[in-house]
Amino acid sequence: MLIDKSITLFVAMLLSGSMAFGQSADAVVMTVNGQPVRATTWQRYCQKQRQQAQLGQPSLKTLRQQFIDFQLMLAAAREARLDTLSTIQQPMASINELPCVGTQPVDASIETEALQLYQRRKQRVDAAGGMTLVQALLVKLPQQASKREEQQAKLLADSIATALKQGADAAPFLARYADDIDATEHQEQGVWLYPGETLPEFETQMQQQPLGTWGDVFVSPAGYHILKVITRQPYFAYEEVRNGLLKLISQRRLRQQLRAMQQESKPTSGKDSTACVAASKLIPAATLQDFRDELMVLAVLQREVWQKHPGTTAEWEHFFAQNKKRYRWTSPRFQGVVCYAATAKDLAQAKKSIRKQPVTEWKQCIEAALNTDGTKRVQVIDGWFMQDENAAVDHVIFKRGNDDKAPASYPFVGVWGKKFKAPPSFLDALMWVKADYQEQQQQAWLAQLRQKYAVEVNDALLEETIKERNNKK
């Protein structure tokens, strides 16, 4: 289920925002459907959103609306009794999912173990070539992607790579397409990686690519990558990673203690296991509640939006027609075929074979007409083309360069198709259309919630609470 898959992600996000606030007087900053919302809940939400911000810090107005929307969805989840789901009541039921917020005091044995772990890690990393600081973009491919989805993803990746090579600001691309390694650090300074930490295709490119420039698009099972290698160096000094290692070892020992507690006790029917009880002692109550709230919002979104309004072909097509201006390209594209023929007669026959046929079938039509009986009289490339992707397309369509790269055995070249400034069909922008359509459905549902549930906000207290928090930094 979506809820189960999201547990690890939300624990990490929630822990980053829940530890900084004490248990001082907790005023009510708003009520939603009669339920009070406390100042510390608002503070934790703002801190988390600002930590995750990638393109500047969100304004108070933006945070206010996002927080209200979140509380409205939470109210809908409560009304639907989603808080009775076992995944909501016991989100930490698995010991492997326990975040172990607490740490043990650092003693000599922990320090010694940390130093030993550091020495093993440094030896392994340096022997494999050291650390590499990178920025990475990923245009993801869904599992079992169709040929059209692959073409769309490749087209988008090529477009981004071309823009970056021509000096475009990387920040907007990093904000949306940063690889899963760590999007926030990518935005600012890049991420340090070492061999064995990434996909083989990524690692090969990372080791071979020159420093300081964005490279060509390359593909892996995850999708299409664009990589910039900033610098390389040996593994970090011990002082730079000491705190992280101490925390890792301390939490590892806590996990071992909790496993032992879990094995020694037998959970009774209808009650939390020892691990859950221990978790409630180690993890602040506010963190667990925020975690449950996040899971409830995910669950209600899945039920009320994603499952009820997945979208159909007709709906995506209509949405695309109503929002065409969203999907214009920064530079024109060419859709068609490039045909390399052995003779002028073969080229003429190839052109004749595609008359009155849809462009998506041109390649098959040409090859069926000429490459018969094991004889390959033509080579055909089809799809979408950008500038600088194909010499023949550049020369014939974009009026640049020289058409001097035809294969020696196929000197006659034909380029047939059409140039576009924007996707001509919703199918040519389907990934973007689906995402935008889902966002529209979510906003429509939120509009209904705003009409359904009464919201009262103490704006003066909202602003005062944030100012107090900022002044304490």
Side-chain angles (χ1 to χ4, degrees):
M1 289 179 61
L2 176 61
I3 293 175
D4 298 328
K5 294 180 180 177
S6 304
I7 284 179
T8 303
L9 170 64
F10 280 105
V11 166
M13 296 192 321
L14 291 165
L15 294 183
S16 68
S18 61
M19 298 295 292
F21 302 103
Q23 300 299 320
S24 58
D26 201 358
V28 175
V29 294
M30 68 176 65
T31 59
V32 179
N33 195 32
Q35 293 291 320
V37 182
R38 302 289 177 177
T40 50
T41 304
W42 161 245
Q43 287 177 318
R44 291 193 304 272
Y45 181 87
C46 290
Q47 183 184 29
K48 184 177 69 175
Q49 295 301 315
R50 286 174 170 169
Q51 287 175 340
Q52 295 172 359
Q54 299 171 357
L55 289 176
Q57 292 297 305
S59 66
L60 176 61
K61 181 179 179 181
T62 299
L63 288 170
R64 177 187 183 277
Q65 188 58 58
Q66 290 176 346
F67 186 63
I68 291 173
D69 288 346
F70 181 85
Q71 294 299 325
L72 286 168
M73 291 187 287
L74 188 57
R78 291 190 181 115
E79 186 177 54
R81 303 282 297 170
L82 297 183
D83 53 346
T84 62
L85 295 174
S86 60
T87 49
I88 305 297
Q89 291 182 330
Q90 298 185 34
M92 306 299 180
S94 169
I95 193 69
N96 293 323
E97 293 161 358
L98 185 62
C100 279
V101 178
T103 56
Q104 296 178 327
V106 176
D107 58 23
S109 66
I110 292 179
E111 187 80 52
T112 299
E113 188 174 348
L115 185 57
Q116 292 172 345
L117 177 59
Y118 168 78
Q119 291 171 340
R120 293 195 301 269
R121 186 175 293 180
K122 176 174 173 58
Q123 183 178 9
R124 182 177 71 252
V125 171
D126 289 348
M131 305 288 296
T132 306
L133 183 64
V134 305
Q135 288 180 312
L137 302 174
L138 172 63
V139 178
K140 296 181 180 179
L141 279 176
Q143 291 185 352
Q144 298 179 342
S146 66
K147 183 177 180 181
R148 180 177 290 275
E149 288 175 320
E150 291 178 0
Q151 290 176 339
Q152 291 173 356
K154 177 64 162 57
L155 182 65
L156 175 59
D158 287 339
S159 178
I160 295 171
T162 299
L164 292 172
K165 290 179 181 180
Q166 293 175 350
D169 182 10
F173 298 117
L174 289 166
R176 185 166 183 181
Y177 300 106
D179 204 343
D180 289 339
I181 302 164
D182 192 317
T184 303
E185 289 190 22
H186 274 155
Q187 170 76 19
E188 300 257 337
Q189 59 192 8
V191 170
W192 286 105
L193 299 175
Y194 53 85
E197 194 176 13
T198 64
L199 294 166
E201 297 85 354
F202 190 102
E203 185 171 315
T204 299
Q205 183 72 17
M206 182 175 71
Q207 292 173 345
Q208 295 176 350
Q209 188 164 309
L211 299 180
T213 59
W214 289 96
D216 295 330
V217 174
F218 62 98
V219 67
S220 80
Y224 292 96
H225 302 261
I226 312 165
L227 178 66
K228 180 180 181 180
V229 176
I230 301 172
T231 189
R232 297 183 177 93
Q233 70 170 46
Y235 192 61
F236 304 116
Y238 178 64
E239 292 75 16
E240 295 180 72
V241 296
R242 176 180 177 272
N243 289 339
L245 293 174
L246 292 175
K247 183 177 180 181
L248 174 67
I249 293 167
S250 178
Q251 291 185 351
R252 181 189 296 170
R253 293 187 179 187
L254 280 172
R255 289 178 187 276
Q256 291 170 350
Q257 292 176 7
L258 289 171
R259 277 196 192 88
M261 293 169 60
Q262 190 181 41
Q263 292 172 356
E264 290 171 3
S265 68
K266 296 181 179 180
T268 58
S269 176
K271 296 184 179 180
D272 288 345
S273 67
T274 302
C276 292
V277 174
S280 67
K281 295 178 181 178
L282 288 172
I283 303 174
T287 298
L288 287 174
Q289 188 56 53
D290 286 347
F291 185 28
R292 292 188 179 100
D293 290 348
E294 296 275 6
L295 293 177
M296 286 174 66
V297 168
L298 271 180
V300 76
L301 274 171
Q302 185 177 28
R303 194 177 82 162
E304 298 297 329
V305 180
W306 302 331
Q307 290 181 351
K308 286 186 176 181
H309 307 284
T312 64
T313 299
E315 289 170 335
W316 295 328
E317 186 172 14
H318 177 73
F319 182 86
F320 176 78
Q322 297 295 314
N323 299 276
K324 279 190 174 182
K325 291 183 178 179
R326 294 188 186 186
Y327 306 107
R328 293 185 67 84
W329 292 315
T330 56
S331 59
R333 309 284 196 273
F334 169 74
Q335 184 186 27
V337 297
V338 181
C339 180
Y340 300 98
T343 67
K345 183 178 180 181
D346 289 340
L347 189 63
Q349 185 177 348
K351 186 175 183 179
K352 183 178 179 180
S353 70
I354 63 175
R355 290 177 183 172
K356 298 182 180 181
Q357 300 297 326
V359 64
T360 54
E361 297 179 11
W362 285 1
K363 180 178 180 181
Q364 292 87 337
C365 292
I366 294 172
E367 291 178 339
L370 287 111
N371 292 344
T372 58
D373 301 328
T375 303
K376 192 172 183 179
R377 295 156 58 188
V378 294
Q379 288 184 354
V380 185
I381 304 172
D382 70 339
W384 286 93
F385 299 84
M386 296 172 54
Q387 293 183 16
D388 300 323
E389 270 196 347
N390 181 279
V393 173
D394 284 346
H395 180 68
V396 176
I397 303 301
F398 297 118
K399 310 302 181 185
R400 53 188 291 171
N402 297 312
D403 184 16
D404 57 358
K405 297 184 179 180
S409 300
Y410 302 92
F412 296 89
V413 183
V415 180
W416 309 306
K418 186 177 180 180
K419 185 167 64 174
F420 296 91
K421 293 183 179 180
S425 164
F426 79 100
L427 293 173
D428 299 308
L430 189 56
M431 290 188 294
W432 305 307
V433 171
K434 283 183 177 180
D436 292 343
Y437 175 82
Q438 284 285 299
E439 176 65 22
Q440 184 188 67
Q441 298 305 312
Q442 181 172 328
Q443 291 303 317
W445 179 60
L446 277 169
Q448 295 174 8
L449 296 184
R450 295 183 190 113
Q451 295 292 323
K452 182 177 182 179
Y453 299 129
V455 178
E456 297 180 7
V457 184
N458 187 334
D459 283 311
L461 186 55
L462 279 181
E463 186 172 359
E464 179 184 348
T465 303
I466 293 302
K467 285 183 178 179
E468 288 178 359
R469 172 60 191 161
N470 291 338
N471 291 335
K472 292 179 183 179
K473 291 183 179 180

